[in-house]
Amino acid sequence: MDRVQTVLCQQLGCRYPIMLAGMGGVARHRLAAAVSNAGGYGVLGMVREPVERLRYEVSAMRRLTDKPFAVNLIPAATPRQQLMEQIDACRALAVETLVFFWDVDRPLIDAVRQDGFRVIHQVGTERAAEQALKAGVEALIVQGHEAGGHVHGLTSTLALLAPVVAMSDVPVAASGGMASGPSIAAALAVGAQAVSLGSAFLTTHEANAHHHHKRRVVQARVDDTCYTTRFARNWPIAAPVRVLENAVTRGDYDRIEDPNHILGSQDNEPVYLFSTDSPLADAEGRVDDMALYCGQSCGQVSDIVSAGQRIENLMREVASVSAR
Ligand SMILES: Cc1cc2nc3c(=O)[nH]c(=O)nc-3n(C[C@H](O)[C@H](O)[C@H](O)COP(=O)(O)O)c2cc1C
């Protein structure tokens, strides 16, 4: 399939309605550039990253692609001063689009839109969708309960997508539970203008996830994930996440009293027990006991391939569903 154009694709400047979910630590320049170069829409996952890292990732991205891309930030999970530094850095680097997630911060959205940024907001409830629309965002991503990583709501993707599409005067993308052509075709049929995929891209060569994490996602069956608030360190509130079951979700660490128990290290920093940081490519230590984010879409992923191959396979499957 050469091209599937939706209004959102036209606005974002991509060939296919496939967005990379902004996965913190995992969606760095290699993965985001590979997605953009293959016709999707690359999103750099920069939550809580120091500005030096953000500047480096945006510059490295631009060396690998001349295609459009966005930067993902999570205002509610980032100390205010750091967040403002991140946004200043994006402005100085002429980043065009910000993808926000979690609570809708209307004054912040007003301010960045006045600065000329396009804002896409990922939401997990109908109420948050209403708030984001009132704040004037240019597009929404509806995240369902099936999603991997931090999960904002309790409603499934397609059930939430339908009313949000109906109420929305801007394009809506869908996220959570999709990693195959038929599931993407279903979301498009319900009115999504694109899909935003996490687990399907975590399991690619270019993703900056630890190989063990990629392998666990590929091997997982659809009901091997769990929804938990155990991984709460670094977030201001105990926000729920969807992960693969491991020693932490089974409660094996519940008797540990040291609040600074270290599981290992990555990016030259310690990884603490219950940290929200998932194991990255250079992680060392008890990798299986870290936050192994994974969506229920894992039931549709069976191999680790390149991001370009992933997009090609998905679009071939979408075409075959459309032909039927
Ligand atoms: C490893 C991982 C990390 C994630 N990190 C973020 C993040 O930093 N920011 C964000 O907006 N969403 C994040 N998410 C959630 C995704 O945006 C998306 O909603 C989710 O991956 C969709 O479910 P799927 O994995 O079944 O595709 C993350 C998801 C995963 C799997």
Side-chain angles (χ1 to χ4, degrees):
M1 187 174 272
D2 183 41
R3 181 176 278 270
V4 175
Q5 279 291 287
T6 66
V7 172
L8 186 56
C9 289
Q10 280 160 12
Q11 285 177 5
L12 300 180
C14 55
R15 198 156 12 119
Y16 300 126
I18 295 189
M19 303 170 69
L20 168 63
M23 296 176 280
V26 172
R28 290 188 177 164
H29 67 276
R30 270 189 73 217
L31 177 57
V35 168
S36 288
N37 282 334
Y41 187 68
V43 178
L44 290 167
M46 292 287 106
V47 54
R48 277 196 320 277
E49 292 286 13
V51 276
E52 299 76 33
R53 157 77 61 190
L54 194 153
R55 283 195 203 105
Y56 170 78
E57 292 296 327
V58 170
S59 309
M61 174 89 189
R62 289 200 171 121
R63 281 196 291 278
L64 295 183
T65 185
D66 58 0
K67 301 277 190 300
F69 65 94
V71 167
N72 168 246
L73 301 173
I74 307 187
T78 310
R80 202 63 181 186
Q81 191 184 337
Q82 186 185 4
L83 177 71
M84 297 326 288
E85 284 171 10
Q86 290 178 321
I87 292 172
D88 287 347
C90 287
R91 191 184 305 106
L93 290 159
V95 169
E96 288 176 6
T97 304
L98 297 175
V99 178
F100 286 157
F101 184 32
W102 217 253
D103 299 338
V104 176
D105 183 336
R106 186 165 181 170
L108 180 74
I109 294 172
D110 281 344
V112 298
R113 287 188 66 246
Q114 270 170 25
D115 272 355
F117 286 106
R118 173 194 286 122
V119 177
I120 302 176
H121 211 299
Q122 176 160 258
V123 294
T125 64
E126 198 172 335
R127 194 173 126 73
E130 279 165 2
Q131 291 171 339
L133 290 171
K134 278 203 190 112
V137 299
E138 275 72 24
L140 288 173
I141 301 172
V142 162
Q143 186 203 47
H145 193 60
E146 304 93 317
H150 282 86
V151 182
H152 197 221
L154 296 171
T155 311
S156 69
T157 304
L158 294 188
L160 183 60
L161 180 62
V164 173
V165 166
M167 74 158 93
S168 178
D169 51 1
V170 297
V172 181
S175 191
M178 289 160 299
S180 65
S183 59
I184 293 171
L188 297 177
V190 176
Q193 298 265 324
V195 291
S196 172
L197 307 181
S199 306
F201 284 124
L202 183 145
T203 48
T204 60
H205 301 310
E206 295 90 342
N208 193 44
H210 194 279
H211 191 66
H212 177 75
H213 187 181
K214 297 182 189 182
R215 242 190 357 246
R216 286 273 329 256
V217 173
V218 165
Q219 289 165 353
R221 294 166 64 95
V222 65
D223 26 47
D224 287 344
T225 73
C226 66
Y227 176 75
T228 174
T229 51
R230 279 180 200 265
F231 295 96
R233 193 177 172 121
N234 327 331
W235 268 56
I237 42 158
V241 297
R242 185 173 299 286
V243 289
L244 289 170
E245 286 173 10
N246 65 4
V248 171
T249 67
R250 283 191 297 269
D252 297 1
Y253 280 98
D254 286 2
R255 281 169 197 272
I256 291 205
E257 283 171 11
D258 177 6
N260 292 319
H261 183 88
I262 292 176
L263 291 177
S265 63
Q266 62 189 19
D267 277 352
N268 300 316
E269 300 277 345
V271 179
Y272 295 98
L273 178 62
F274 304 127
S275 168
T276 57
D277 295 339
S278 65
L280 303 183
D282 72 339
E284 288 176 1
R286 304 189 69 88
V287 170
D288 195 66
D289 300 344
M290 299 179 189
L292 301 175
Y293 295 132
C294 180
Q296 291 177 342
S297 57
C298 62
Q300 302 156 44
V301 180
S302 56
D303 50 4
I304 298 171
V305 295
S306 68
Q309 189 67 57
R310 179 73 78 221
I311 291 180
E312 198 182 314
N313 295 348
L314 292 173
M315 290 315 299
R316 190 176 338 99
E317 290 169 20
V318 170
S320 109
V321 174
S322 309
R324 283 211 303 275

